[in-house]
Amino acid sequence: MTAMVARPVGSAELKRNAAAQEAVNKEWDNLRRRGVWKESNVRERADVIAEAKAAGREVQFGRVHCICVEKNSELPLGDPKRRYKGRAVFLGNQVVNQDYQQAMFAELGNAPASMEAARLNDWYACLPGHSGGTTDGVQAYCQARLLGVECWIALPWTAVIDTETWRVYGDPVTILEYALYGHVDSPTSWEVHCDAELAAAGFDRIGAEWPSVYFHHNLRLLLTVYVDDFKLSGPEGHLDAGWKLIAERIEIEPPTPFGLYLGVRQHMTDMTLPDGSRVRGMEYEMTDFLKQCVQKYRELADFQGDFPQVGTPFLSSESEPGPARAPAKAVSGVMPGTVADEDEGPDEAEKGELASVAAQIVMKVLYAARAVRLDLLRAVQGLARCMTKWTRRSDAELFRLIAYIDTTVELRLVGWVGDEMKDIHPHLYSDADFAG
């Protein structure tokens, strides 16, 4: 996925990188410790199939593979947030049943918190007397029992300790006890487990419209859960008690103040508005990530020059290079008010040089546009519509977008709260289509 923050580590790099190897070995050790599978419960695949057919029940078979990534690779070397992480994943695209047919899943579905929910949490943290922080669930999926059809897995030999026992079998498999990344039912299994544990800790769901958002009425704490990322805010004196309630039921990392959350650096700050009033706010920035976007363009477009300093992410809208903006022409055989294909200039008709790599650049920028740089959204959306018909004009528009990012790489998103809770009221609005 070109839009993700983590950098994949290939097999060649993994073999020569001791830190990456250590991360992978740590992952295997942790999964064994949690009992995600039991090596002692090894069976011959053919025997499991025969038993399932005799009992008239369905079982599934899949494989587990370990990948390695460098998290937060856009950060400078030496930053503690930049680290290698091994992740054992279930290969969900290679699952068959006892008849060797493509496995069918219940697809129960899950609903992690949205970006709007995370911003709501930040707003609540900025209220007078409030604060907040974040933490991660420790191998979150693996804390939940796997729901759905019974699933048996084949392991790579690097993950097996008791190889002597396993080599007795021609096709050894063991049952998958807990949810594992990559399995279709794992997100639901984790969400059901997490929801039940949070409810037992006193956190109530806000409602179906705000999935994975909870409120503890006694402590007045607001909690959002994005997969395994927890964000908690509320009265400063109640935060420790809230984290303790969660940690008693879900294994989490030690909580930290706001910092790096879903690839975005954020920090609370006191600021003065132009009218002189003092407010408390939150700043969001992705400077290092955006620099990575610019570097990605340089590599894929083979561009080593200097970008011009520009004030907008858009090309000028003269009618000559943009026929859609030109006045309507009456062309034989063409309805007035449209532009004939033969009237398109070379920039609109010829395939662009970056057609094969444009998606890698645009989709990477998209994440920053959605998370922090809202001024990039219009330009990114426009380019995203051109992926199947990329032209020379598209090349020019992408160059302009990257030049704008290079010019404004230090820009950040800022929000603030300057009112007491008693003075804040929700305002509702509907769109022109009646909020449909």
Side-chain angles (χ1 to χ4, degrees), residues 171-435:
D171 192 1
V173 293
T174 185
I175 193 168
L176 185 61
E177 304 271 1
Y178 286 81
L180 194 62
Y181 294 92
H183 195 290
V184 173
D185 292 328
S186 289
T188 302
S189 301
W190 159 246
E191 187 170 300
V192 169
H193 171 79
C194 182
D195 185 75
E197 296 301 323
L198 290 176
F203 288 88
D204 300 321
R205 274 183 175 268
I206 286 186
E209 303 84 0
W210 291 87
S212 298
V213 183
Y214 305 85
F215 192 76
H216 197 290
H217 289 84
N218 291 338
L219 298 177
R220 292 182 291 132
L221 295 174
L222 180 65
L223 172 68
T224 55
V225 183
Y226 184 86
V227 188
D228 61 349
D229 292 285
F230 294 74
K231 179 181 280 191
L232 185 69
S233 63
E236 194 163 6
H238 296 174
L239 288 173
D240 288 343
W243 285 125
K244 183 179 179 181
L245 287 174
I246 297 172
E248 287 174 350
R249 296 187 170 273
I250 298 174
E251 187 176 352
I252 58 176
E253 300 280 359
T256 61
F258 291 121
L260 191 65
Y261 182 76
L262 300 181
V264 179
R265 284 195 180 277
Q266 58 180 99
H267 67 276
M268 298 180 67
T269 181
D270 295 321
M271 56 186 74
T272 303
L273 299 183
D275 63 0
S277 57
R278 295 286 294 173
V279 297
R280 198 179 191 199
M282 189 80 73
E283 291 188 356
Y284 308 86
E285 61 95 359
M286 298 183 70
T287 302
D288 293 320
F289 182 80
L290 289 168
K291 289 179 179 178
Q292 220 181 38
C293 293
V294 174
Q295 183 59 32
K296 171 71 75 173
Y297 178 89
R298 289 186 180 277
E299 294 171 359
L300 296 179
D302 193 22
F303 177 76
Q304 304 303 326
D306 295 328
F307 288 101
Q309 299 292 292
V310 297
T312 74
F314 308 103
L315 290 174
S316 56
S317 57
E318 296 90 355
S319 61
E320 184 176 349
R325 294 180 178 272
K329 298 179 181 179
V331 182
S332 176
V334 179
M335 183 181 295
T338 64
V339 180
D341 289 343
E342 56 266 28
D343 286 345
E344 291 185 353
D347 285 352
E348 286 70 40
E350 296 183 21
K351 186 176 182 179
E353 295 182 9
L354 302 180
S356 63
V357 297
Q360 298 182 53
I361 304 169
V362 176
M363 294 300 103
K364 189 176 181 70
V365 176
L366 173 62
Y367 183 70
R370 291 190 64 233
V372 173
R373 292 294 300 273
L374 305 184
D375 55 322
L376 304 177
L377 272 176
R378 174 82 175 181
V380 171
Q381 290 172 338
L383 287 170
R385 294 182 300 177
C386 302
M387 290 302 165
T388 58
K389 194 177 180 181
W390 193 267
T391 65
R392 287 172 53 190
R393 169 79 178 186
S394 305
D395 282 344
E397 290 175 345
L398 179 56
F399 180 84
R400 175 67 178 232
L401 172 61
I402 300 301
Y404 175 73
I405 293 175
D406 186 66
T407 303
T408 61
V409 72
E410 300 290 343
L411 283 185
R412 58 194 63 199
L413 183 67
V414 179
W416 66 85
V417 177
D419 303 291
E420 297 284 345
M421 184 66 173
K422 61 182 179 60
D423 299 322
I424 298 176
H425 306 280
H427 291 261
L428 307 179
Y429 68 94
S430 64
D431 205 345
D433 65 346
F434 301 103

Side-chain angles (χ1 to χ4, degrees), residues 70-92:
E70 186 182 17
K71 296 192 69 173
N72 306 309
S73 61
E74 76 280 4
L75 300 179
L77 288 172
D79 191 301
K81 292 285 187 180
R82 181 172 180 170
R83 57 190 176 88
Y84 290 98
K85 183 174 182 63
R87 175 75 75 194
V89 295
F90 180 82
L91 300 181

Side-chain angles (χ1 to χ4, degrees), residues 22-208:
E22 182 181 354
V24 169
N25 293 334
K26 180 180 178 181
E27 173 74 357
W28 290 126
D29 292 341
N30 286 338
L31 294 179
R32 279 191 292 266
R33 175 178 60 84
R34 289 186 177 278
V36 176
W37 60 78
K38 294 183 175 64
E39 289 187 16
S40 59
N41 189 24
V42 59
R43 298 284 306 278
E44 189 72 56
R45 183 193 296 255
D47 294 340
V48 178
I49 291 175
E51 289 179 5
K53 289 182 175 181
R57 61 187 178 87
E58 183 177 357
V59 294
Q60 296 174 350
F61 297 90
R63 295 195 305 118
V64 174
H65 174 71
C66 196
I67 62 175
C68 185
V69 298
E70 186 182 17
K71 296 192 69 173
N72 306 309
S73 61
E74 76 280 4
L75 300 179
L77 288 172
D79 191 301
K81 292 285 187 180
R82 181 172 180 170
R83 57 190 176 88
Y84 290 98
K85 183 174 182 63
R87 175 75 75 194
V89 295
F90 180 82
L91 300 181
N93 62 334
Q94 301 180 24
V95 189
V96 297
N97 63 11
Q98 70 279 359
D99 297 317
Y100 285 93
Q101 295 177 339
Q102 190 71 33
M104 301 296 291
F105 295 95
E107 296 189 21
L108 303 174
N110 68 306
S114 63
M115 284 188 178
E116 289 80 4
R119 296 289 162 79
L120 173 67
N121 203 310
D122 296 339
W123 162 80
Y124 194 59
C126 290
L127 288 170
H130 285 204
S131 188
T134 61
T135 191
D136 292 339
V138 179
Q139 292 186 306
Y141 280 9
C142 304
Q143 298 185 41
R145 283 279 181 180
L146 181 64
L147 304 177
V149 178
E150 181 180 298
C151 183
W152 293 75
I153 56 173
L155 297 173
W157 288 109
T158 53
V160 178
I161 293 180
D162 188 9
T163 56
E164 184 176 345
T165 300
W166 275 57
R167 291 189 187 279
V168 173
Y169 297 88
D171 192 1
V173 293
T174 185
I175 193 168
L176 185 61
E177 304 271 1
Y178 286 81
L180 194 62
Y181 294 92
H183 195 290
V184 173
D185 292 328
S186 289
T188 302
S189 301
W190 159 246
E191 187 170 300
V192 169
H193 171 79
C194 182
D195 185 75
E197 296 301 323
L198 290 176
F203 288 88
D204 300 321
R205 274 183 175 268
I206 286 186

